[in-house]
Amino acid sequence: MKTLVLSPDEAGLARAAEIIRRGGLVAFPTETVYGLGADALSAQAVTRVFEVKGRPRFDPTIVHVAAPEEVRTLWKSIPPLAEMLMQRFWPGPLTLVLPKNRSVPDIVTAGLPTVAVRMPAHPVALKLIQAAGRPLAAPSANRFGRSSPTHHEHVLSDLDNQVEAVLAAGPTTVGIESTVLSLAEPTPRLLRPGGTALEALRELLPALRVDAPTGPSSSPGTLPRHYLPRTPLFLLESGPPEASGEYLERRRCGMLAFKEPWQAFGRVERLSPAGDLREAAAQFFAALRRLDAADLSAIVAEQVPEEGLGLAIADRLRRACSGRARLVGERVWIIR
Ligand code: TXA
Ligand code: MG
């Protein structure tokens, strides 16, 4: 199959919507990352999303709507808390999980009794959902386990010739996936930190739980190992070399720096010289992909402050890393 690269104009959107209505797959931009979209009410179309991504069936996907009213067809009922959050944060990078209606196919929710829904804040996403005339099920448009795509070129490098079309709208602005919040239990719970800062949610939800769920309300997709670059990534910490480990030459390593101007590495990506966590989030996945493509022995990553969008970046770093490293003179000590 030859993947159509469509411009996000009227003609491109009409073509994309037509593909969705016929049960095909279209990768489209959101403000967070590109999604791999299919008709959310077609089990067959969504099954292909899982196949193309190589995604396990136990990992449910998010359904995207173009207006808050559209949740009525997806959720059983809309509690006042959900109304309030939708009003405050939609369109935007906040996904809400609530008990689902029967019309939502089980493949979308991996058999869970709940469905995750969000209204993205990207004009192209909203226009596509409207033109298709149905909600879109869309996980991030990357191969399963790999970094999320923040540019249509990333989508093409992962999924070229496996999907019908990609709407080519350049880089996304937020750069990190949506925050996932469950309202399906007595106390709201954070299932995944993301583009909506925890601090902003806490203002409205003082009782918000952030501990990992157990049992049926858990978020099966938030696996401990995810976002994996091909080059092993290590989180930088300070201290002398530990008893067990090995040295790597710094120039054979790449550095994913937050704001410090690290120079003595084979390649350096700085997320935000000004130390702005929003800018860092927007740069994160693209910087990781560039380092991964640079033919290095390892990538070492600086920790970021766990506040604002830094919480989501730190979460992705933890799940992308293979271990810890320390700097010792001109070398990198990989802790084994
Ligand atoms: O920003 C985003 O959220 C992007 C764009 C494309 O919208 N989408 C995205 O989708 O990141 P995905 O499929 O890569 O991540 C969906 C997350 C997973 O961690 C999954 O476990 C969780 O949402 N999730 C989906 N449905 C759920 C449910 N019913 N209950 C609990 N967690 C759910
Ligand atoms: Mg993903």
Side-chain angles (χ1 to χ4, degrees):
M1 173 193 312
K2 180 99 184 73
T3 297
L4 288 170
V5 180
L6 301 170
S7 24
D9 54 17
E10 217 171 298
L13 281 159
R15 188 79 190 267
E18 176 64 26
I19 292 168
I20 295 284
R21 280 197 297 271
R22 291 205 184 146
L25 309 188
V26 176
F28 64 97
T30 80
E31 79 282 29
T32 59
V33 302
Y34 276 71
L36 180 56
D39 177 352
L41 304 179
S42 159
Q44 223 177 338
V46 178
T47 300
R48 254 200 71 221
V49 172
F50 280 76
E51 284 167 4
V52 162
K53 275 201 66 150
R55 179 172 174 125
R57 302 288 175 95
F58 59 73
D59 192 359
T61 184
I62 295 172
V63 176
H64 298 71
V65 295
E69 304 82 74
E70 292 169 25
V71 300
R72 290 182 200 291
T73 59
L74 303 168
W75 288 334
K76 256 199 190 128
S77 66
I78 304 156
L81 193 57
E83 293 275 11
M84 184 181 79
L85 290 165
M86 290 190 286
Q87 194 158 33
R88 168 75 175 77
F89 293 103
W90 284 11
L94 179 65
T95 297
L96 300 174
V97 174
L98 275 165
K100 78 177 188 80
N101 264 337
R102 243 192 248 170
S103 59
V104 181
D106 283 336
I107 178 87
V108 172
T109 65
L112 292 175
T114 54
V115 62
V117 184
R118 84 178 189 99
M119 177 183 172
H122 194 297
V124 174
L126 296 173
K127 284 181 199 160
L128 175 65
I129 301 164
Q130 275 158 4
R134 57 207 71 193
L136 295 185
S140 50
N142 51 282
R143 294 271 317 154
F144 179 73
R146 299 283 169 199
S147 305
S148 298
T150 55
H151 195 286
H152 61 265
E153 295 292 351
H154 301 163
V155 179
L156 288 168
S157 89
D158 270 26
L159 301 177
D160 197 14
N161 299 331
Q162 297 178 70
V163 298
E164 279 79 356
V166 176
L167 279 162
T172 65
T173 51
V174 174
I176 211 134
E177 302 92 332
S178 62
T179 300
V180 182
L181 185 67
S182 173
L183 301 178
E185 39 187 320
T187 310
R189 190 196 291 267
L190 180 77
L191 298 179
R192 176 178 76 182
T196 296
L198 185 58
E199 293 88 336
L201 291 175
R202 279 223 166 99
E203 277 177 28
L204 292 183
L205 308 170
L208 178 64
R209 302 183 64 164
V210 298
D211 52 319
T214 50
S217 67
S218 67
S219 196
T222 48
L223 298 172
R225 306 269 296 130
H226 205 64
Y227 307 105
L228 296 176
R230 290 177 176 79
T231 316
L233 182 141
F234 301 92
L235 270 176
L236 199 59
E237 58 177 42
S238 52
E242 277 189 4
S244 67
E246 65 176 298
Y247 278 118
L248 290 177
E249 294 301 320
R250 269 204 211 192
R251 59 187 169 73
R252 291 290 313 133
C253 298
M255 174 76 196
L256 185 62
F258 173 40
K259 56 180 175 179
E260 296 298 320
W262 299 87
Q263 294 308 343
F265 285 86
R267 178 164 181 153
V268 178
E269 291 285 344
R270 290 171 73 189
L271 293 177
S272 172
D276 175 351
L277 287 164
R278 281 176 180 278
E279 182 185 22
Q283 299 301 324
F284 179 70
F285 282 122
L288 193 55
R289 276 180 188 258
R290 285 193 294 270
L291 286 171
D292 203 13
D295 192 29
L296 299 155
S297 304
I299 300 167
V300 294
E302 194 178 15
Q303 316 258 14
V304 299
E306 296 200 25
E307 59 193 41
L309 293 203
L311 188 65
I313 302 172
D315 167 75
R316 307 307 187 267
L317 276 175
R318 265 194 296 277
R319 288 194 274 143
C321 84
S322 314
R324 299 167 297 134
R326 292 176 183 179
L327 292 185
V328 181
E330 282 310 295
R331 292 184 294 181
V332 177
W333 180 253
I334 307 288
I335 300 167
R336 297 286 181 205

